[in-house]
Amino acid sequence: MKDTQESDAAKILKDFQWSYDYRKAWLEAAKEDFEFTLGKQWKDEDVSELNSKGVKALTINKIRPAIWLLTGLESQNRTDWAAFPEGAEDTIDSEISTRLLKNVAKNSGVNYKISQSFEEALTCGEGWLEPYIDYTYDLLNGDMKFKKLDYNQVFPDPCFKEYDLSDAKFVNKVSWSLTKDEILGLYPEAEKVIEGMADGRIRFDSNGDGDAHVQHRGYNDAKSGFDDGYDGEPVYDLLEHYYKKMAPVFHVLDKKLGKVFVTPSKDEADKYMNGANADGSGDVRVVKRMVPEIWVCAVVGGKEIHRGKSWSYPNWKGYPFVPVMCYWMQVPLDKGDRALAVQGVTRGMKDVNSQYNKRKTQELRHLNQSANSGWLSTEAAWVNEDEVRNFGASPGVLLKYKEGHEKPERITPTPLSQGHAQLAAENTQDLKELSGINADLLAMQEGGQASGRAISLRQRQGLVMVQKIFDNLSQSKWILGKFILSQLSQVFDLESAARVLGEAFITENFSRPVMAPMPGPDGRPMMAPQVDPMTGQPQMEIDQERLVKTLTKVLEDTGLGKYDIAVGESATNETVKYANYTTLLDMASKGVPIPPDVLVEESQISNASKQKIRMAIEQQSLIPAKPTKPSGGANEA
């Protein structure tokens, strides 16, 4: 039977249910992680039981400060993307790429999105970033933006093992409870398909019995009291299924030129081969290869509304999603144990923090019960027993007993349970060890204040326990940087890229002498640099041909990031920059020949001041050295 759109949609929903089943246990654990981190650390029945006894359930959240500390370290040690040349001939290409990467990061606010996803990963174990191009205000060159996806939106192939999802057969993204206008904003051609659709929601459970698992915006349920805010307006769940589709590619191997060409069709490849082999050499042949293309199919209400290549393909040959993981191990586990493979900082601290809250609540309850321990007296010894009963524990109270009776004595309160106090102290230490936070990570030092460089070194030592988390973050930023590099042609054209580089950069790197014909020594005309009659310096002009060629290579060469430059990170934090600067000063003081302009560039002064100092250094280098006087002697006047 020939496949139809409905049958294809059914296969996609089946794949989605498979990935959902494998993530169900993790989704439930992740939801609990978020609630626990935000302060819901007691079960409702336990709180009700304590309230019925007049006891307040104490919540002393030890997890949230740990996450705040790690997110603060990420913010303070934030880095920018930089493109590093693979060879000396790639220096200009790497500098241009770096400036364009930083421009995208500045205009998109991607660093804030990364911090949001990192905080989510610390809490539940993983976060997701989705880059996209916004053509709202510019149909030719859009703005690259980044969306932080929720933990319950991305459902990859359960069998993937590579951090960058390169081995995943598919990745599902679900946008829950969209209105009709929101869907048409993404897929305008879907209007006829969703018109009159009675139910556009995904409704199934792990057993396939048709019940909805996820309660989210748009699921009107009068019993639950959940308000979707739409007053009965129909809503839809949009499932976008990204998958690999194998397609033939024809490679032309030309031994004469020592090159390999890729042609879009077999006819073109054969035409080139037949023409090149007309002499009978047989030096050119065609090789067919099947390569994966990234496609996306959008499904709403069991119906396909869109199918086509992913917007980022072929410049980016992976899925347009970037994971941000905390503790992540892809090991073969059963469905019920999959929640163990991806964890955040919260997961391992929940039980200890819960026990800590119970210990503190029990201590407070014990203290309140034993604070007013009462009085010991003979019968009818008090002048006013009601006064003693009501105010006997009040500070400064004046109590009277009858003459002739023994003096009443206050009953000594039962001391606080040392066992509870000891367990609470142990819980506190356990929480520190489980979080990986120590004195070095907090940069705590006895005996006075430390320098910024010393603080940075101490924090590096303290990062050992949580280094894996930051290694995963660096991996995510590396993937994201390569993705941005691959899409520069979608964001910039030649004119906008030149504006980003700036006139000063272009003048410095793409200037050439103005050449004009002049009579040569033999009287014949020759091309020679033209000199400015006022200054005597050669006249310069911008080499437009070289500029266009270089910018075109950076924007359109898909192999640039593979062969010519490498995407990495450069320090932007002031403390790290100052540490680097002081290191250079130490090297210069010990005789290392570091140029003055390098020291100026690495300093923390303003760019305007740097430019003035550089100009002064250049002018100083142009002043000829004064001749030294001959040393004194017998012939000196």
Side-chain angles (χ1 to χ4, degrees), residues 438-459 461:
N438 49 50
D440 286 333
L441 192 58
L442 294 171
M444 298 173 61
Q445 179 175 344
E446 299 178 359
Q449 297 181 348
S451 65
R453 185 179 180 185
I455 290 175
S456 178
L457 291 175
R458 288 182 65 86
Q459 286 181 339
Q461 294 173 352

Side-chain angles (χ1 to χ4, degrees), residues 308-492:
K309 292 181 181 179
S310 172
W311 69 270
S312 57
Y313 185 86
N315 291 347
W316 180 253
K317 294 179 174 55
Y319 298 107
F321 302 101
V322 179
V324 182
M325 301 292 187
C326 186
Y327 295 112
W328 174 78
M329 293 181 65
Q330 284 301 81
V331 293
L333 294 173
D334 295 333
K335 286 194 298 185
D337 297 327
R338 297 288 289 187
L340 301 174
V342 181
Q343 299 188 25
V345 174
T346 301
R347 189 77 53 85
M349 299 176 65
K350 285 192 298 187
D351 289 345
V352 179
N353 201 155
S354 180
Q355 290 298 316
Y356 182 81
N357 290 335
K358 292 179 180 179
R359 302 287 178 261
K360 287 298 182 181
T361 300
Q362 290 168 344
E363 284 186 36
L364 181 61
R365 183 182 183 183
H366 189 183
L367 179 63
N368 290 335
Q369 289 177 340
S370 62
N372 186 12
S373 54
W375 293 83
L376 184 65
S377 66
T378 60
E379 186 177 2
W382 295 105
V383 174
N384 189 340
E385 289 188 2
D386 291 338
E387 184 180 64
V388 176
R389 184 176 297 107
N390 295 328
F391 304 103
S394 302
V397 65
L398 179 62
L399 303 176
K400 298 180 180 180
Y401 67 95
K402 297 176 182 179
E403 187 176 355
H405 287 263
E406 294 183 6
K407 178 181 177 182
E409 297 179 0
R410 180 183 289 277
I411 299 175
T412 304
T414 304
L416 289 176
S417 170
Q418 293 300 314
H420 287 156
Q422 179 65 26
L423 288 174
E426 291 178 359
N427 288 153
T428 301
Q429 182 61 31
D430 291 340
L431 285 167
K432 291 181 180 179
E433 294 176 357
L434 289 171
S435 66
I437 296 173
N438 49 50
D440 286 333
L441 192 58
L442 294 171
M444 298 173 61
Q445 179 175 344
E446 299 178 359
Q449 297 181 348
S451 65
R453 185 179 180 185
I455 290 175
S456 178
L457 291 175
R458 288 182 65 86
Q459 286 181 339
R460 287 179 181 274
Q461 294 173 352
L463 280 173
V464 174
M465 287 289 291
V466 292
Q467 187 62 52
K468 183 62 177 179
I469 302 175
F470 288 96
D471 285 347
N472 288 341
L473 178 63
S474 295
Q475 181 74 359
S476 299
K477 295 192 69 174
W478 176 72
I479 296 171
L480 196 57
K482 293 190 67 175
F483 182 92
I484 297 174
L485 183 68
S486 72
Q487 303 299 317
L488 290 180
S489 60
Q490 304 296 317
V491 183
F492 301 101

Side-chain angles (χ1 to χ4, degrees), residues 201-241:
R201 298 173 296 179
I202 299 174
R203 304 177 68 88
F204 60 78
D205 67 1
S206 59
N207 297 320
D209 58 12
D211 293 331
H213 261 304
V214 183
Q215 179 74 26
H216 48 73
R217 190 182 77 173
Y219 281 11
N220 297 312
D221 187 352
K223 296 180 181 179
S224 68
F226 185 80
D227 182 13
D228 61 12
Y230 283 119
D231 297 329
E233 180 181 356
V235 291
Y236 309 85
D237 295 336
L238 172 63
L239 172 60
E240 294 172 293
H241 180 78

Side-chain angles (χ1 to χ4, degrees), residues 8 51 89 91 122 175 283 303 321 333 348 355 373 457 465 477 518 582 585 614 619 621:
D8 287 344
N51 287 340
E89 69 280 1
T91 302
L122 292 174
S175 299
D283 290 334
K303 295 183 179 180
F321 302 101
L333 294 173
Q355 290 298 316
S373 54
L457 291 175
M465 287 289 291
K477 295 192 69 174
M518 296 181 64
T582 54
L585 285 179
R614 280 195 292 262
Q619 292 176 0
S621 63

Side-chain angles (χ1 to χ4, degrees), residues 221-273:
D221 187 352
K223 296 180 181 179
S224 68
F226 185 80
D227 182 13
D228 61 12
Y230 283 119
D231 297 329
E233 180 181 356
V235 291
Y236 309 85
D237 295 336
L238 172 63
L239 172 60
E240 294 172 293
H241 180 78
Y242 289 82
Y243 63 99
K244 294 178 179 179
K245 179 180 178 180
M246 303 305 293
V249 172
F250 299 93
H251 299 267
V252 179
L253 282 64
D254 192 331
K255 293 183 179 180
K256 295 178 181 178
L257 300 179
K259 293 184 178 180
V260 178
F261 304 95
V262 178
T263 58
S265 66
K266 186 176 186 302
D267 291 339
E268 292 190 22
D270 291 341
K271 182 178 179 181
Y272 181 92
M273 180 182 65

